[in-house]
Amino acid sequence: MKSLEELAQIRERMKNKVALREANGEIRIVVGMATCGIAAGARPVLNALVEQVAKQHLDNVTVTQTGCIGMCRLEPIVEVFMPNEERVTYVKMTPDKVPEVIEQHIKGGKPVVKYTIGAVEN
Amino acid sequence: MKELSLNILDIAQNSIKAQATLVGIELCETETTLLIRITDNGCGMEEAFLERVLDPFSTTRTTRKVGLGLPLLKLAAEQTGGSLSIRSIPKSRSENSGTTVEALFHKDHMDFTPLGDIISTIEILIQGNPDIDFAFTHTMPERTVSLDTRELRAVLGEEVPLNDFSVLAWIREALTEQYAS
């Protein structure tokens, strides 16, 4: 069984990280997790996002969940909010598309246009 | 839903919307049956609403507080010859309000949906709701797997949120280890 001791170590390490997080401009990734999103495959997408953000130590990125955005047929939907930028809405997301979005958009600042609602709807 | 663990993720969202501070997720398995029990200490449901929540066609947009989640779970249970029941105590009646949803499945039925990736469901619930406590137990004939965020919170203190990435990784590993042992 994994020891609670390891959690105590995480707590120690975290003490130094809080200041760092606050210094950076926050990027928010929001995943729709209502019945429609979950049924369409939002859970593996969210898992992939959390995994990538954690693995790459993207300390200025938060991943949060929301309810039904109102476009159930386009789920899984992922919205990205960057400081001073317009919201970008990705639709019909899959775990495969996540690395590209992280690399190009979250780290590089350039939205992956082909996965956005504008491109998919037209 | 392709996996019952997705139904569980969905039903637990109702507890979260009902402002629960503690959500219990219990899975009790025998060789041939699976019982899923989701309990919460949220605001509960009034009797009139309770009567309607299982009917997908009576929930309208404006009154939609629960949606399709419960009818979908009920269908998944009944198609295996099982059943679904809900008990709820509304806040208007008692301080100890809350809701319990129980679904019984026959695993040997051809239409049984597999449980699937329950670890991801637990991780995602904690990830999205770091201020809510989750008590998870999965009893199987050969082993029991459990995780209680209240215990983790006691070690982590107030400054480390439960959805910190390293904590989530710990949770995933702890559950994976328990299932493998």
Side-chain angles (χ1 to χ4, degrees):
Chain A
M1 171 64 190
K2 278 196 79 69
S3 71
L4 291 170
E5 181 57 34
E6 282 173 60
L7 279 182
Q9 287 163 10
I10 291 172
R11 180 182 183 171
E12 277 305 303
R13 283 205 305 275
M14 279 291 287
K15 278 183 184 163
N16 313 316
K17 264 175 69 181
V18 178
L20 195 79
R21 186 184 288 256
E22 279 164 2
N24 289 322
E26 193 96 333
I27 297 174
R28 232 159 32 91
I29 305 176
V30 182
V31 184
M33 288 295 278
T35 307
C36 49
I38 294 170
R43 189 187 64 185
V45 170
L46 181 50
N47 273 128
L49 284 166
V50 168
E51 198 192 314
Q52 286 288 328
V53 169
K55 205 163 71 186
Q56 307 204 32
H57 304 288
L58 306 175
D59 288 332
N60 60 330
V61 177
T62 58
V63 182
T64 57
Q65 303 172 23
T66 187
C68 179
I69 300 167
M71 302 180 287
C72 308
R73 78 205 153 83
L74 296 174
E75 294 278 357
I77 297 175
V78 173
E79 294 181 311
V80 176
F81 298 84
M82 285 185 156
N84 310 318
E85 299 276 339
E86 248 184 79
R87 166 183 66 188
V88 175
T89 305
Y90 292 107
V91 298
K92 296 187 178 173
M93 278 297 284
T94 61
D96 300 348
K97 295 176 181 170
V98 165
E100 211 177 331
V101 169
I102 295 284
E103 211 48 44
Q104 231 196 82
H105 190 182
I106 305 302
K107 288 166 76 181
K110 284 208 294 262
V112 188
V113 175
K114 61 184 173 186
Y115 301 149
T116 59
I117 186 163
V120 173
E121 280 284 77
N122 293 324
Chain B
M1 302 265 180
K2 288 182 194 142
E3 304 175 3
L4 290 180
S5 61
L6 292 174
N7 292 94
I8 294 170
L9 176 59
D10 187 30
I11 299 301
Q13 309 283 354
N14 294 339
S15 301
I16 292 154
K17 271 180 235 140
Q19 275 138 16
T21 55
L22 176 62
V23 179
I25 297 169
E26 277 172 88
L27 308 177
C28 305
E29 269 188 82
T30 67
E31 294 296 338
T32 56
T33 60
L34 164 66
L35 180 75
I36 297 176
R37 185 185 294 125
I38 299 164
T39 53
D40 70 58
N41 62 354
C43 64
M45 290 177 273
E46 299 290 343
E47 220 161 289
F49 191 67
L50 195 53
E51 274 169 25
R52 286 192 298 133
V53 290
L54 289 177
D55 180 1
F57 302 110
S58 74
T59 50
T60 71
R61 194 79 188 163
T62 46
T63 58
R64 196 167 91 184
K65 287 178 186 164
V66 176
L68 278 169
L70 281 165
L72 281 174
L73 182 64
K74 184 172 186 256
L75 180 73
E78 286 178 350
Q79 73 186 10
T80 72
S83 58
L84 180 133
S85 66
I86 307 175
R87 292 188 302 273
S88 194
I89 302 170
K91 215 173 178 175
S92 60
R93 270 209 347 247
S94 167
E95 270 178 33
N96 299 315
S97 65
T99 301
T100 300
V101 176
E102 253 179 32
L104 177 72
F105 296 82
H106 291 282
K107 293 195 293 181
D108 44 8
H109 194 286
M110 174 179 129
D111 291 323
F112 175 67
T113 314
L115 179 61
D117 188 359
I118 187 70
I119 296 178
S120 286
T121 282
I122 302 299
E123 185 191 346
I124 290 301
L125 281 172
I126 296 170
Q127 193 272 332
N129 311 281
D131 298 325
I132 296 176
D133 278 311
F134 293 92
F136 170 65
T137 338
H138 187 175
T139 318
M140 290 156 278
E142 69 279 13
R143 68 170 74 83
T144 297
V145 173
S146 64
L147 184 104
D148 191 327
T149 55
R150 286 170 295 188
E151 287 171 24
L152 311 194
R153 214 181 285 281
V155 178
L156 289 169
E158 273 177 23
E159 66 266 42
V160 185
L162 276 172
N163 62 353
D164 179 78
F165 294 120
S166 43
V167 178
L168 290 174
W170 185 94
I171 289 169
R172 171 168 286 275
E173 281 170 39
L175 286 172
T176 307
E177 252 178 42
Q178 286 187 56
Y179 275 105
S181 66

